[in-house]
Amino acid sequence: MASKPLTEPVFFVLLALHDAPRHGYGIKQEAAELSDGRVDLRVGTLYGVLDRLTAEALVEHDHDEVHQGRLRRYYRLTSDGRRALAVENARMAANVRAAEQRLTGSPATDTPATPTAPPSRGRTRPAGAGGTA
């Protein structure tokens, strides 16, 4: 059964949380950086996404911190969130491979469409995020 594709803002929120827990503004900044500025999360959108991802158990509350008199709530990925991110990354990579084959006329490759190992913890760009797959 195929899972529903993630929207671009949801994908980048999950990706922003991949390497470390972050608070809302940190997620917003990281998503903008990872997407080369294409994803500019507004406050309502960001917290709506975080509420939905929390309800779906893809992210969870990590801790709170008071900074300059204001409360910062930190979020982290759950194991289900990591799986959803890996599945979406594989789906997008398959799309890029199909497009490259069509656009260049190159033959199909035998690269698996689903991840076989946990996602990398490095700072690599996902397929379709301004780089090549």
Side-chain angles (χ1 to χ4, degrees), residues 15 18 77 79 81-87 89 115-122 124:
L15 190 59
H18 180 260
L77 276 182
S79 57
R82 289 186 187 284
R83 277 191 290 280
L85 184 59
V87 166
N89 189 63
T116 56
S120 167
R121 288 183 103 39
T124 58

Side-chain angles (χ1 to χ4, degrees), residues 72-90:
R72 288 182 172 173
R73 174 158 286 187
Y74 283 73
Y75 297 87
R76 68 173 170 243
L77 276 182
T78 63
S79 57
D80 285 346
R82 289 186 187 284
R83 277 191 290 280
L85 184 59
V87 166
E88 182 66 5
N89 189 63

Side-chain angles (χ1 to χ4, degrees), residues 8-25:
E8 193 170 39
V10 169
F11 176 78
F12 280 104
V13 166
L14 293 176
L15 190 59
L17 292 170
H18 180 260
D19 60 347
R22 287 191 165 76
H23 57 80
Y25 186 70

